[in-house]
Amino acid sequence: MSKYWSETTKNIEPYIPGEQPKNRKYIKLNTNENPYPPSPKVIEAIKQAANENLQLYPDPNCDELRNTLSNYYKLLPNQVFVGNGSDEVLAFSFMAFFNKEKPILFADITYSFYEIYVNLFKLKHKLIPLDNKFNLPLDSFCIENGGIVVTNPNAPTSKYISVESLKKIVEYNIESVVIIDEAYIDFGGESLVDFVDDYPNLLIIQTLSKSRALAGLRVGYAFGHKDLIEGLNKIKNSINSYTIDRLALAGAKASFEDEAYFQSTRLKVIDTREKVIPSLRELGFIVLESKANFLFARHNTIQAKIIFNELKTRGILVRYFNKPRIDNFLRISIGNNEEMEVLISKLSEIILKIETSN
Ligand SMILES: *Cc1c(COP(=O)(O)O)cnc(C)c1O
């Protein structure tokens, strides 16, 4: 606490990212990073861009990257916004579209940044409780609101919501902007991107951090009606015109130009996920169905906190949330096959140790 802090600074509770340990080499299954490196073509493009042009500001409108994205997703360039990670795109969207008078709706168990943003931007909100199977009750979105945000597939539950269900939420709430955070959509879900032309209130947000293995580059993007994109640009250009640097612009573009690499790594992650689920179930875990690059699981006898700590001593980091309703679950990112084999063997060791000591 400092006397120099504003009221806002005093009152906010910032997001706590998953650990990025420096002291020891862990198998990192705690922040949903991709287990594979980015495409070699991305690295090459970034190297090429590391030249004397860094003397000059980057293109504030990200025209080339927006052209690439709009071709890839069959949109118009004016339906695309690019930001410094999707967290920034989300923050700009809350500022640009959410109404101060009415509550913003989002699930009680979802990406924890939403609650931080509503507090930071002094918005009201109402949490929509997921049912006891962690499904989103669609009817709960049929109330007055100042905006809606839904993660699909949801984090940290990994559960996927059908396009049909989401379209109902978007249609019913035509007076509000409905944000669909599709950070994990490439791992088996269907995007709403094909419906951007149908709904003036639909904003889809995606990221290069997960399926494109570029968490370190910080690029996210949004798709929506051109008026929504114009709104985002108004906010961005009132804060920082140059959110994406030259290296990030080059790397992001190259990522969409190496489709074969993207498909092969994406499918490898899905394949590993489907192999790990039965092994975890054999060890007594209840594992939710997943269309993401992580699993949400609890053990039928041993507490999640205990397993979390035992794994950590054995050099494996997973994510544990000390929050109501999910404090007995672990969120486990999908690593490569070898990493997941080590996870399974360490888990059987831990479970055997605990069960024989009881
Ligand atoms: C990882 C994640 C993001 C943030 O991604 P960045 O592009 O790295 O900022 C946004 N939403 C959800 C649900 C995520 O899991």
Side-chain angles (χ1 to χ4, degrees):
M1 183 70 85
S2 155
K3 67 174 178 180
Y4 300 112
W5 287 1
S6 68
E7 280 310 301
T8 302
T9 310
K10 278 181 204 151
N11 295 323
I12 45 176
E13 290 233 19
Y15 180 76
I16 305 166
E19 264 179 282
Q20 298 287 2
K22 296 190 180 70
N23 56 338
R24 169 175 176 183
K25 187 122 184 65
Y26 284 95
I27 293 183
K28 256 189 106 274
L29 308 176
N30 68 331
T31 49
N32 296 344
E33 288 143 329
N34 202 300
Y36 302 104
S39 152
K41 291 184 181 158
V42 169
I43 315 275
E44 191 45 43
I46 293 170
K47 285 185 180 160
Q48 290 295 322
N51 59 32
E52 66 278 5
N53 283 340
L54 286 173
Q55 171 186 30
L56 307 170
Y57 280 111
D59 173 9
N61 303 320
C62 308
D63 281 340
E64 267 192 69
L65 177 56
R66 284 193 306 118
N67 283 337
T68 302
L69 282 163
S70 61
N71 284 330
Y72 189 91
Y73 289 101
K74 303 188 173 59
L75 298 166
L76 296 169
N78 65 6
Q79 293 172 313
V80 180
F81 177 84
V82 184
N84 192 266
S86 59
D87 288 335
E88 183 185 77
V89 182
L90 282 162
F92 287 173
S93 305
F94 276 50
M95 270 192 267
F97 308 122
F98 285 176
N99 177 311
K100 283 236 182 317
E101 312 308 319
K102 299 175 191 168
I104 312 308
L105 310 182
F106 49 91
D108 63 339
I109 303 166
T110 190
Y111 190 41
S112 43
F113 242 128
Y114 308 147
E115 196 153 353
I116 291 165
Y117 292 143
V118 291
N119 292 332
L120 177 62
F121 301 135
K122 304 193 166 53
L123 300 163
K124 300 185 178 74
H125 73 288
K126 182 179 186 318
L127 297 178
I128 306 295
L130 300 182
D131 71 17
N132 58 9
K133 290 192 166 138
F134 296 138
N135 290 318
L136 194 66
L138 297 184
D139 293 351
S140 307
F141 289 92
C142 301
I143 56 170
E144 254 213 303
N145 63 77
I148 291 174
V149 54
V150 178
T151 319
N152 191 39
N154 195 17
T157 66
S158 74
K159 292 201 79 157
Y160 172 70
I161 309 160
S162 73
V163 163
E164 286 316 306
S165 303
L166 289 176
K167 278 167 72 176
K168 285 194 187 116
I169 297 179
V170 179
E171 272 164 28
Y172 187 88
N173 292 285
I174 202 75
E175 296 304 317
S176 313
V177 169
V178 179
I179 298 177
I180 311 293
D181 182 345
E182 293 187 337
Y184 301 101
I185 200 69
D186 293 327
F187 298 106
E190 190 190 337
S191 171
L192 248 70
V193 64
D194 291 342
F195 304 97
V196 162
D197 286 329
D198 300 346
Y199 304 110
N201 61 326
L202 169 63
L203 191 78
I204 296 162
I205 299 183
Q206 295 190 5
T207 173
L208 267 66
S209 296
K210 315 289 170 39
S211 60
R212 290 180 183 271
L214 286 168
L217 204 64
R218 311 306 304 132
V219 179
Y221 42 97
F223 306 131
H225 188 280
K226 67 174 178 37
D227 296 348
L228 294 186
I229 301 304
E230 190 186 338
L232 284 172
N233 278 314
K234 285 189 79 174
I235 295 289
K236 184 198 84 152
N237 289 318
S238 306
I239 295 178
N240 175 5
S241 302
Y242 307 105
T243 52
I244 319 290
D245 64 67
R246 286 176 174 272
L247 307 185
L249 286 172
K253 181 163 177 281
S255 169
F256 288 94
E257 291 165 352
D258 194 354
E259 183 65 10
Y261 186 89
F262 168 66
Q263 290 300 343
S264 86
T265 49
R266 176 182 90 84
L267 294 172
K268 277 201 277 189
V269 170
I270 295 175
D271 183 66
T272 305
R273 176 184 75 205
E274 296 308 311
K275 282 208 236 72
V276 172
I277 294 173
S279 314
L280 285 171
R281 288 188 177 143
E282 243 169 72
L283 291 175
F285 281 93
I286 290 107
V287 187
L288 303 196
E289 209 185 307
S290 169
K291 286 231 190 289
N293 66 338
F294 58 89
L295 298 171
F296 203 51
R298 70 178 171 84
H299 194 262
N300 60 17
T301 56
I302 307 167
Q303 279 177 12
K305 186 77 196 282
I306 295 174
I307 302 175
F308 168 83
N309 285 321
E310 293 282 339
L311 279 173
K312 194 168 173 184
T313 7
R314 288 168 177 77
I316 301 180
L317 282 183
V318 297
R319 192 91 196 253
Y320 171 74
F321 299 94
N322 193 4
K323 285 188 183 167
R325 298 190 71 190
I326 57 169
D327 59 358
N328 208 17
F329 279 84
L330 295 173
R331 193 195 69 188
I332 306 169
S333 309
I334 302 297
N336 62 31
N337 283 334
E338 298 81 76
E339 290 171 322
M340 298 321 268
E341 276 161 28
V342 177
L343 171 80
I344 295 296
S345 95
K346 298 290 178 194
L347 281 173
S348 22
E349 197 181 297
I350 293 164
I351 291 163
L352 188 70
K353 185 186 94 171
I354 293 174
E355 286 182 344
T356 48
S357 72
N358 284 346

